[in-house]
Amino acid sequence: MIKGLAISTVWVLDQDRAKEFYTQKLGFEVRTDMTMGDGGMRWLTVGAKDQPDVELTLMVPGPPSLDDESAEAMKKLVAKGVLGAGVLVTDDVHGDYEKLKARGVEFLQEPQERPYGTEALFRDDSGNWFSFTQRREGGLDLDKDWSC
């Protein structure tokens, strides 16, 4: 049976720039950086230091996973900033927001209270947006505003 999520893809426009963003600005560590076969696809994964069993693969849209037409469409969506890549959690959203902002991370929203916790939104260097969330102790508070 399924035991959990191990690797998730984040589509990026440039793997070298993405590697720098995720390691230098977000503080992730490189797990794998290799080329598969002669002239093959670059397999680049990163992950949070305290979560060794989950990785993000930073992939440029293209063969072998996408045909040329699909790759171009995906690149346009990434660059446009319409793809949400997920939720990254922290135990100090206000302090980490300030640290990441000082490192040059582009925030779309400063920390705000939500029913599930305190959330900020940021973009990576390709345009993908992430929820950056400190979970609310005690579960959902349905009296809080859901709007962004």
Side-chain angles (χ1 to χ4, degrees):
M1 293 303 298
I2 296 172
K3 301 217 181 231
L5 177 68
I7 300 174
S8 185
T9 299
V10 176
W11 297 109
V12 299
L13 302 177
D14 180 292
Q15 285 178 305
D16 289 326
R17 271 193 7 239
K19 180 180 178 181
E20 183 178 327
F21 178 87
Y22 282 84
T23 59
Q24 302 299 312
K25 292 187 178 182
L26 298 186
F28 284 20
E29 61 186 13
V30 173
R31 302 282 172 75
T32 308
D33 190 353
M34 62 180 272
T35 301
M36 298 176 141
D38 290 334
M41 171 182 82
R42 182 176 179 190
W43 183 254
L44 172 61
T45 68
V46 297
K49 292 175 181 165
D50 293 335
Q51 195 176 26
D53 56 337
V54 177
E55 299 176 66
L56 298 177
T57 180
L58 306 176
M59 295 286 288
V60 174
S65 56
L66 297 174
D67 61 70
D68 290 339
E69 181 181 350
S70 298
E72 286 309 308
M74 183 63 76
K75 288 176 186 175
K76 286 179 184 176
L77 290 172
V78 170
K80 191 174 181 180
V82 298
L83 298 180
V87 178
L88 300 176
V89 294
T90 179
D91 57 4
D92 181 11
V93 72
H94 292 285
D96 290 339
Y97 164 82
E98 292 299 333
K99 288 177 193 170
L100 294 178
K101 196 170 165 185
R103 292 180 191 164
V105 174
E106 175 194 353
F107 277 87
L108 305 172
Q109 171 194 292
E110 62 187 37
Q112 295 184 12
E113 295 298 318
R114 299 283 181 241
Y116 43 84
T118 307
E119 173 188 60
L121 298 175
F122 71 85
R123 287 195 199 284
D124 71 7
D125 67 310
S126 292
N128 298 297
W129 63 270
F130 285 86
S131 168
F132 186 53
T133 301
Q134 181 175 344
R135 292 181 175 148
R136 184 181 177 284
E137 290 185 30
L140 287 176
D141 179 353
L142 298 177
D143 292 328
K144 294 256 186 242
D145 186 13
W146 282 93
S147 65
C148 293

